[in-house]
Amino acid sequence: MSMPDGEAEISAAKKYEYISRNLQEVLGEDKIKSILKERDLKIYWGTATTGKPHVAYFVPMTKIADFLRAGAEVTILFADLHAYLDNMKAPWELLALRVQYYEHTIKAMLQSIGVPLEKLKFVKGTSYQLSKEYTLDVYRLCSVITEHDAKKAGAEVVKQVDHPLVSGLLYPGLQALDEEYLKVDAQFGGIDQRKIFTFSEKYLPQLGYQKRAHLMNPMVPGLTGSKMSSSEEESKIDLLDSPSNVKKKLKKAFCEPGNVENNGILSFVKHVLFPLFKDDEKFTIRRKPENGGDAIFEDYGKLEQAFAKEDVHPADLKAAVEVYINRLLEPIRKVFEQPELKKLSEQAYPSPNKSKGAANPVATDEIVPSRLDIRIGKIVEVSRHHDAESLYIEKIDLGEDKPRTIVSGLVNFVPIEDMQDRMVVVLCNLKPVKMRGVESQGMVLCASTDAPKQVEFPGERVYIENYEGGKPDDVLNPKKKVWEKLQVDLKTNSECFAQWQGNDLLTKGGGKIRSKSMAGAPIK
């Protein structure tokens, strides 16, 4: 799978066909066609250097290959400043390391699919975004943008929380200015960026700059059927995953017989594999003779039809895709066998609970919810505290050698008969404290509100969306106030789902934690 060698000069119409194929939408089609009649198009694609790139990044890489086929001048922007502005997804201290990691991985991906790097331009955002001229344009843009438009523009891209930082409002404006400072004709991105693109078309002319065209990819489902995310471990295949991990993740992937909707396996075949095939290459599914023998498809449409008719079994499709994915990943794995790149990976994405003496202590004091050890438990015994009328003493089964003793101030909220045998959510790594002579070894978490006087337990086993990769502290240091700083953003949303800064609290199987009736209530 690679770009055709020595492709001859092609017509403007053929160039536009390469540029626009498999896109969901093009804004400024006439402008692009007009430019192609005179010269090649200048396009940029930007990626915020946050979570680790995964196999879904082959989707934009495949389009970059198409742009190069069309003779376009392509700039890849490593948007390090954007990564920080988006709710501080990347700590400032790690930005330079993550830019290096992205540069190595993106280049390895492009080489894996046969894209010549000498035809690309790589730019780091802070190489020009901290200049006097750019900064002045940021202020000029702020003077004409409304708060409403800035928030609306970033709604699908910037992390949405109840109390957003001003930095998130700046994000769309900076992305708009990048078009001018990179001197391009068009920007390429996902359909989730459409509001930022139309925002750019509205506001750049108000600064005296030209309106650019915009090219948008569809959003490709992940392995779970929803959007493939760097932060949702089960939804993605990491670029450095071993063949055994690829097999395991594909085996668990959502791929219902006959269902072609939200099917991440089929989407990957459509948007990555077929566009990368050479003219004489076909998609091959190896099958035993008793299962119908090998199935060969010249185009994606025929494969989708066969799957919809259940002529292709999900297990056979997954086995075929496994072969192609490993073929794409093997060159990347080899690149990252180099000791310096292994070290870079560890430094750019350190474990959240590294000790202070570790090579990179930056993450140690980072206040992230993965530091909380939250587990499901069952109350197997409950009684009133002998020395405090408002307290229960609960014995809670957390799957450990013996039940934990936890003291909770729930007497005025939940009848004792409703406590017995109840499934509860427990914060397990608080430092044990004595409450009226009884040591409490954790905290039962409740959705609570002062008026009316009521509480409800959120639900089952818990981890926090977008923070699944970190490990909890053994014991939260009370002097660091980790729990207190994280707790202020733990609450139920308007639909009663438990969240931290807009990230859902989930069960291990991906189910959301929901209160029965408490909306907009703090969890404490």
Side-chain angles (χ1 to χ4, degrees):
M1 292 181 289
S2 62
M3 290 181 63
D5 297 324
E7 191 144 27
E9 183 66 28
I10 56 178
S11 67
K14 185 65 174 178
K15 288 179 180 180
Y16 183 77
E17 181 184 329
Y18 275 135
I19 288 170
S20 61
R21 71 172 178 174
N22 285 333
L23 293 178
Q24 183 162 332
E25 187 175 3
V26 176
L27 298 177
E29 179 180 348
D30 291 342
K31 179 182 179 72
I32 292 173
K33 289 181 175 179
S34 176
I35 291 172
L36 288 174
K37 290 177 181 178
E38 301 177 5
R39 59 172 174 81
D40 289 325
L41 202 66
K42 297 178 181 179
I43 305 170
Y44 107 80
W45 172 73
T47 179
T49 50
T50 53
K52 285 185 175 182
H54 45 76
V55 291
Y57 277 63
F58 276 112
V59 178
M61 296 303 105
T62 303
K63 279 309 303 176
I64 287 171
D66 278 344
F67 299 154
L68 293 175
R69 283 189 178 96
E73 297 178 27
V74 180
T75 297
I76 293 179
L77 173 68
F78 297 116
D80 50 348
L81 189 56
H82 291 72
Y84 182 74
L85 291 176
D86 186 2
N87 206 39
M88 295 182 289
K89 282 184 178 176
W92 189 261
E93 298 86 351
L94 297 180
L95 284 180
L97 292 167
R98 291 191 178 176
V99 168
Q100 292 178 46
Y101 184 87
Y102 264 68
E103 184 168 357
H104 283 289
T105 53
I106 297 297
K107 286 181 176 178
M109 291 178 77
L110 291 166
Q111 289 173 324
S112 172
I113 62 176
V115 174
L117 299 183
E118 60 270 15
K119 293 186 177 182
L120 293 164
K121 182 179 180 181
F122 297 90
V123 176
K124 185 169 73 170
T126 48
S127 67
Y128 65 88
Q129 290 166 346
L130 301 179
S131 68
K132 177 181 177 181
E133 296 77 15
Y134 189 92
T135 302
L136 181 59
D137 271 343
V138 171
Y139 286 130
R140 290 175 61 207
L141 201 56
C142 287
S143 70
V144 296
I145 297 172
T146 66
E147 180 270 344
H148 173 269
D149 280 3
K151 188 173 182 179
K152 179 182 177 182
E156 302 296 324
V157 177
V158 180
K159 178 62 69 175
Q160 299 299 296
V161 295
D162 289 342
H163 303 287
L165 300 173
V166 174
S167 59
L169 299 178
L170 291 175
Y171 191 110
L174 268 64
Q175 188 167 337
L177 285 174
D178 290 340
E179 296 178 353
E180 173 63 25
Y181 278 77
L182 293 172
K183 302 300 179 186
V184 296
D185 305 307
Q187 183 180 173
F188 165 59
I191 193 68
D192 60 332
Q193 302 205 33
R194 191 183 195 282
K195 291 178 181 177
I196 291 181
F197 292 161
T198 55
F199 169 96
S200 173
E201 293 183 6
K202 175 181 178 180
Y203 282 107
L204 276 190
Q206 294 189 35
L207 299 188
Y209 298 140
Q210 63 174 305
K211 182 170 71 172
R212 267 66 178 190
H214 295 97
L215 310 164
M216 284 164 277
N217 251 348
M219 299 308 295
V220 176
L223 302 181
T224 59
S226 58
K227 176 184 174 181
M228 193 175 290
S229 167
S230 298
S231 55
E232 189 180 344
E233 188 62 29
E234 294 300 318
S235 82
K236 67 178 180 77
I237 293 173
D238 190 88
L239 296 175
L240 302 182
D241 269 345
S242 65
S244 62
N245 277 342
V246 172
K247 179 184 289 289
K248 181 173 68 175
K249 290 181 178 180
L250 284 174
K251 187 175 181 180
K252 295 167 63 177
F254 175 80
C255 192
E256 191 177 47
N259 187 351
V260 299
E261 299 296 325
N262 296 320
N263 188 322
I265 305 294
L266 282 174
S267 292
F268 189 83
V269 175
K270 177 181 180 180
H271 292 285
V272 176
L273 300 184
F274 270 99
L276 290 176
F277 285 158
K278 294 181 178 180
D279 291 341
D280 59 348
E281 196 170 2
K282 300 174 179 63
F283 183 78
T284 302
I285 298 177
R286 302 293 181 189
R287 298 187 298 198
K288 295 178 180 180
E290 58 266 31
N291 292 329
D294 294 350
I296 300 173
F297 299 92
E298 297 182 358
D299 63 71
Y300 172 76
K302 292 179 181 178
L303 170 63
E304 184 178 283
Q305 289 173 11
F307 189 84
K309 294 177 182 177
E310 299 189 28
D311 292 337
V312 172
H313 191 275
D316 293 328
L317 176 64
K318 289 179 179 182
V321 171
E322 179 187 339
V323 172
Y324 288 106
I325 286 181
N326 280 319
R327 191 187 303 178
L328 289 170
L329 296 187
E330 189 54 32
I332 304 172
R333 295 183 189 121
K334 287 184 178 179
V335 168
F336 275 82
E337 287 176 359
Q338 301 174 52
E340 61 271 25
L341 292 187
K342 286 184 178 181
K343 183 178 179 181
L344 172 63
S345 179
E346 293 171 359
Q347 290 179 326
Y349 297 94
S351 173
N353 61 337
K354 282 201 173 209
S355 65
K356 289 188 177 182
N360 188 334
V362 172
T364 303
D365 293 325
E366 190 180 354
I367 306 299
V368 291
S370 55
R371 295 178 65 177
L372 304 178
D373 183 4
I374 302 175
R375 303 185 221 164
I376 192 75
K378 182 179 181 180
I379 299 175
V380 295
E381 182 182 324
V382 58
S383 62
R384 293 282 189 93
H385 195 296
H386 61 276
D387 197 29
E389 293 183 356
S390 63
L391 301 179
Y392 284 132
I393 300 175
E394 304 127 12
K395 299 287 186 180
I396 302 180
D397 181 4
L398 290 159
E400 299 170 320
D401 293 338
K402 61 180 181 180
R404 285 199 189 200
T405 298
I406 294 180
V407 180
S408 303
L410 299 172
V411 170
N412 296 327
F413 303 98
V414 183
I416 192 168
E417 58 270 18
D418 289 345
M419 294 289 289
Q420 183 66 40
D421 297 325
R422 188 163 192 164
M423 304 301 290
V424 292
V425 173
V426 179
L427 177 61
C428 297
N429 59 340
L430 287 175
K431 185 177 181 180
V433 294
K434 284 196 173 183
M435 299 180 69
R436 295 291 186 93
V438 178
E439 185 176 79
S440 182
Q441 301 168 330
M443 178 190 296
V444 175
L445 298 181
C446 309
S448 63
T449 184
D450 292 331
K453 291 282 186 181
Q454 57 181 320
V455 293
E456 292 175 345
F457 299 101
E460 302 172 357
R461 183 180 173 93
V462 177
Y463 64 91
I464 297 178
E465 181 185 29
N466 293 325
Y467 294 90
E468 301 93 327
K471 295 181 180 179
D473 293 11
D474 292 333
V475 178
L476 296 173
N477 186 339
K479 293 182 180 180
K480 298 290 186 179
K481 303 290 184 185
V482 176
W483 163 245
E484 290 80 1
K485 292 174 182 176
L486 291 168
Q487 186 276 320
V488 295
D489 289 313
L490 273 170
K491 61 190 70 177
T492 57
N493 66 8
S494 60
E495 298 178 326
C496 300
F497 289 109
Q499 295 184 332
W500 181 84
Q501 285 195 358
N503 301 280
D504 290 317
L505 275 66
L506 305 170
T507 65
K508 187 176 182 180
K512 295 183 180 181
I513 304 301
R514 189 175 190 179
S515 170
K516 291 180 181 177
S517 60
M518 305 286 296
I523 298 171
K524 54 188 178 180

